[in-house]
């Protein structure tokens, strides 16, 4: 089978600390994969390695048929990978519209860019209402919607989002996930979502990959996994 994203034996170290230890991962075109696990499991390191922001010590990453291990972030982005980093990172002194236009920096298809701008403003109506407001004046939830929309403006085949619910109220998180699931439905966009909790994987019907201490400890459809199995994998407990 040909995968949109395929990772084999990925290893990343920060000095003497192993952040990823021989990780394998696959993602099909149009699929949603939720990567979960406790703090320090290696989730954000995985995202950064795919994006080219950290260099693996070993292993390989293939994206859309191209070997991208250790390649420059802009090269990987040009192939159709877009990442929404943890902590939102909107450009606070720039307007909402200016933030969105930054996402189009590598595109030359002006008609498609205009269509995507209309789409994201329909997906998140707040963006149209506050298009000329500085991003730093938006609420946390509004900034999260903005950076997701900015990631979409790059025209990706795979959108990777690191902790989209971090610091958000439950009702705002629901709105963000409703938009993500609409993207999956409307555009058959591949989604790679990092969340600490497995709850959202269950709610969205995404395939789940749980990490602990840089290794995969559980994988599958979370709706078919028992609560005990997920608890044991998450906390590193022995089966009773």
């Amino acid at each position: 089978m040909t995968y949109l994203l395929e990772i084999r034996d990925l290893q990343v170290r920060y000095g003497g600390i192993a952040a990823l230890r021989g990780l394998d991962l696959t993602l099909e075109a149009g699929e949603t994969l939720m990567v979960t696990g406790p703090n320090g499991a290696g989730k954000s390191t995985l995202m950064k390695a795919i994006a080219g922001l950290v260099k693996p010590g070993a292993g390989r990453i293939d994206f859309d048929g191209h070997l991208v291990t250790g390649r420059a972030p802009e090269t990987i982005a040009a192939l159709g990978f877009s990442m929404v980093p943890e902590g939102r990172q909107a450009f606070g002194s720039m307007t909402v519209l200016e933030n969105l236009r930054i996402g189009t920096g590598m595109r030359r298809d002006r008609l498609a860019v205009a269509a995507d701008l209309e789409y994201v403003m329909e997906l998140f109506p707040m963006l149209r209402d506050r298009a000329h407001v500085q991003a730093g004046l938006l609420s946390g939830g509004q900034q999260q919607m903005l950076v997701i929309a900015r990631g979409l403006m790059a025209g990706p085949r795979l959108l990777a989002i690191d902790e989209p619910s971090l610091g958000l109220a439950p009702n705002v998180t629901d709105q963000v996930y409703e938009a993500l699931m609409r993207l999956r439905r409307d555009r058959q966009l591949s989604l790679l979502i990092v969340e600490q909790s497995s709850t959202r994987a269950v709610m969205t019907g995404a395939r789940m990959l749980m990490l602990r201490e840089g290794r995969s400890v559980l994988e599958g459809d979370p709706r078919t996994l028992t609560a005990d199995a997920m608890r044991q994998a998450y906390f590193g407990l022995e089966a009773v």
Side-chain angles (χ1 to χ4, degrees), residues 204-220:
T204 61
R207 180 165 61 93
M208 185 186 73
L209 177 70
M210 186 178 291
L211 304 184
R212 182 174 176 80
E213 297 178 349
R215 296 186 177 93
S216 171
V217 292
L218 191 67
E219 184 175 2

Side-chain angles (χ1 to χ4, degrees), residues 1 19 36 42 49 57 60-61 65 75 124 126 128 131 135 142 147 169 172 205 217 220 231:
M1 177 181 291
T36 70
R60 65 180 289 145
I61 304 170
T75 300
F124 297 116
M126 172 277 305
R128 192 188 308 277
Q142 290 171 335
V147 294
V172 178
V217 292
R231 181 177 59 86

Side-chain angles (χ1 to χ4, degrees), residues 23-36:
L23 183 68
D24 293 337
L25 178 154
T26 59
L27 178 69
E28 297 180 29
E31 185 182 15
T32 299
L33 177 63
M34 190 81 73
V35 180
T36 70

Side-chain angles (χ1 to χ4, degrees), residues 179-234:
L180 291 175
M181 294 309 99
R182 180 177 165 185
L183 278 171
R184 182 173 66 181
R185 181 180 69 248
D186 288 354
R187 298 200 164 190
Q188 290 75 54
L189 183 68
S190 302
L191 297 172
L192 178 63
I193 305 173
V194 161
E195 284 281 15
Q196 186 170 336
S197 169
S198 61
T199 303
R200 285 288 163 182
V202 176
M203 294 173 65
T204 61
R207 180 165 61 93
M208 185 186 73
L209 177 70
M210 186 178 291
L211 304 184
R212 182 174 176 80
E213 297 178 349
R215 296 186 177 93
S216 171
V217 292
L218 191 67
E219 184 175 2
D221 184 340
R223 295 168 296 183
T224 66
L225 298 170
T226 67
D228 278 348
M230 288 195 281
R231 181 177 59 86
Q232 289 162 9
Y234 190 94

